[in-house]
Amino acid sequence: MTHRGNIASLHDALVHLAAEVERRLDLDGDLDDVPRLIVAIDEANTTLRQLTRYWQTFRQKDDPKTHPAIAALEEALWVGRAARVHIIFDGRPHTADLGGTPAAHELLATVILSRFTADTWRRLAPMAGPTPKQKPYPGCFHVVQQDSTHETQAAP
């Protein structure tokens, strides 16, 4: 496990992630001996905005407009499962932060919601139907996959 405590090192780690995903995909499915890689992005919305500001500060005239670290994260979200790379994304997947494509939200296979409003449910889990009633005790959350919802209890 590694932790990145500043935006510059997070930038480097995500750019390295792009190379690792490409390397794993080049193995043509022969991933039996390759360990799963789990990438957790905490406070993702703030982190993506900070990465964008970082890139605007250091970007040269000939560099791509899209931050390479954000492009790497998008790539890992799109093809990561095939490369045994999984992303835990703590935050709302704003399309402006993830390359501006509306399909960015579709990259997340599982949505976990706890203490949510009806508006949040409609934005993040519209495919699962109407907003469920929440339980009054702590540790209850809803797991949404495709068009189904499962109420789950965790240790508070």
Side-chain angles (χ1 to χ4, degrees):
M1 180 171 146
T2 62
H3 175 266
R4 304 294 184 216
N6 63 54
I7 292 301
S9 64
L10 181 59
H11 161 87
D12 294 344
L14 288 172
V15 169
H16 175 73
L17 175 65
E20 178 62 14
V21 167
E22 186 175 326
R23 183 189 74 78
R24 288 171 176 233
L25 291 174
D26 286 344
L27 295 174
D28 292 326
D30 188 20
L31 297 168
D32 292 339
D33 295 329
V34 177
R36 291 189 186 280
L37 180 60
I38 298 174
V39 178
I41 308 290
D42 192 22
E43 293 292 333
N45 301 329
T46 301
T47 301
L48 292 174
R49 282 191 298 277
Q50 288 175 346
L51 279 168
T52 299
R53 279 196 300 271
Y54 174 82
W55 184 240
Q56 290 169 350
T57 302
F58 293 100
R59 181 179 165 261
Q60 300 297 310
K61 181 181 176 183
D62 296 334
D63 288 337
K65 187 172 182 175
T66 301
H67 190 302
I70 293 174
L73 179 59
E74 279 186 302
E75 182 71 9
L77 284 167
W78 278 109
V79 300
R81 196 174 340 167
R84 294 180 66 145
V85 175
H86 307 280
I87 308 295
I88 298 172
F89 191 91
D90 175 26
R92 291 186 190 138
H94 294 298
T95 58
D97 295 331
L98 284 175
T101 61
H105 184 271
E106 301 302 320
L107 300 175
L108 305 174
T110 303
V111 176
I112 300 172
L113 295 168
S114 175
R115 297 180 309 183
F116 51 86
T117 64
D119 185 50
T120 299
W121 183 269
R122 281 191 300 273
R123 273 195 325 274
L124 298 178
M127 69 301 254
T131 306
K133 291 197 179 248
Q134 296 187 57
K135 303 293 185 209
Y137 43 88
C140 184
F141 57 95
H142 291 81
V143 177
V144 180
Q145 292 180 309
Q146 296 175 347
D147 60 353
S148 67
T149 304
H150 306 283
E151 188 176 289
T152 307
Q153 180 67 40

